[in-house]
Amino acid sequence: METVIAYFDETGDDGLINSSSQDFVLTSIYTKTANWQRNFNVMKNFRALLKEKYGFHATEEMHTKAFLTDKNPYRNYGWTKEQKQEILIAFTKCIAEQMDLSIVNVIIDKTKITDNSYNVLEKALTYNIQRIENDSEGNWNYIVITDKGRLAPMRKTARAIRAYNPIQSHYSFVAVNQPVKCLIEDILEKDSSESYFIQICDFVSYFVHLYFKCVVNGQTLPARVQNVIDTQFVSRVMATLKYYDRLNLKASKSNEYGLVIYPR
């Protein structure tokens, strides 16, 4: 049976009390192991081009929020607004046009949570893994690699849904237990600075957050982000990922970009 590698990263915090964000976005990208090396080479070559054209060091982590809000180390490069836009467009096109991968985005809208015991991370991870599991249709196994910081609770959740994973039936109010079967091994951890793929998750996750905030909920972009891009730019990033079939649209039929949004 073929194996797929899934990478995870998030935008926002998963807390409810003294929270710094109104939503929590958990993004996964996954690719067949047979395509992994080609995808890696595509991103490696792309980063070399960014170094040549913009001086962006190939070993420098792409952390999208910090990039857009002009924090170090990105501020030190002295890029213009137009150059930053060019880099973001290039990243989007590289992911969408050149790489062979699928993306699932889960958004937990914390403004709609009424139960203080609601476990944001557990719900987001469960919904995301369920979508990858559904996509596999039992034809391939997958392993999960995540950025550092939340390994213990993520492992606990993944182990739990191997045994008990209640899915609401479409035809009744009864939940049916459908344990996850294709996930192999415990969730593994890797520093995002050492993984192009986790950095891609970070890139997509932050743009999904901006899309949800500004397009879905009609709020304004953060002030520092507005210095670089506008809402139309955010929408174009999402549209490009969809056009090139990078987004798993089956993850949610209620959203044009397949965004899984809870609570409903």
Side-chain angles (χ1 to χ4, degrees), residues 117-186:
S117 65
Y118 191 101
N119 190 317
V120 173
L121 179 60
E122 176 186 305
K123 296 292 187 182
L125 180 61
T126 298
Y127 297 144
N128 205 305
I129 288 179
Q130 284 173 348
R131 270 61 184 187
I132 299 174
E133 182 85 8
N134 291 343
D135 199 23
S136 75
E137 297 182 334
N139 294 321
W140 37 263
N141 292 321
Y142 56 97
I143 62 172
V144 170
I145 300 175
T146 185
D147 191 14
K148 288 187 173 182
R150 293 182 171 90
L151 183 62
M154 290 179 74
R155 278 186 172 177
K156 180 179 179 181
T157 297
R159 289 174 179 177
I161 59 178
R162 281 194 175 105
Y164 183 64
N165 182 37
I167 304 294
Q168 188 69 49
S169 172
H170 292 292
Y171 308 105
S172 70
F173 295 105
V174 178
V176 179
N177 184 27
Q178 296 182 7
V180 167
K181 297 179 179 179
C182 296
L183 173 62
I184 56 176
E185 253 295 357
D186 276 329

Side-chain angles (χ1 to χ4, degrees), residues 60-115:
E60 193 88 80
E61 179 177 4
M62 178 56 171
H63 187 61
T64 310
K65 181 179 179 179
F67 178 91
L68 277 167
T69 53
D70 199 34
K71 294 183 178 179
N72 285 329
Y74 312 104
R75 182 184 300 175
N76 295 331
Y77 285 99
W79 293 313
T80 64
K81 171 184 175 179
E82 290 72 24
Q83 287 175 319
K84 284 189 172 182
Q85 289 181 351
E86 289 172 5
I87 292 171
L88 292 170
I89 292 170
F91 257 99
T92 304
K93 288 185 175 180
C94 179
I95 296 166
E97 297 179 16
Q98 299 184 49
M99 305 188 80
D100 189 344
L101 51 82
S102 296
I103 303 170
V104 171
N105 296 291
V106 173
I107 302 170
I108 303 298
D109 184 354
K110 292 191 285 183
T111 67
K112 293 185 177 179
I113 296 174
T114 57
D115 181 1

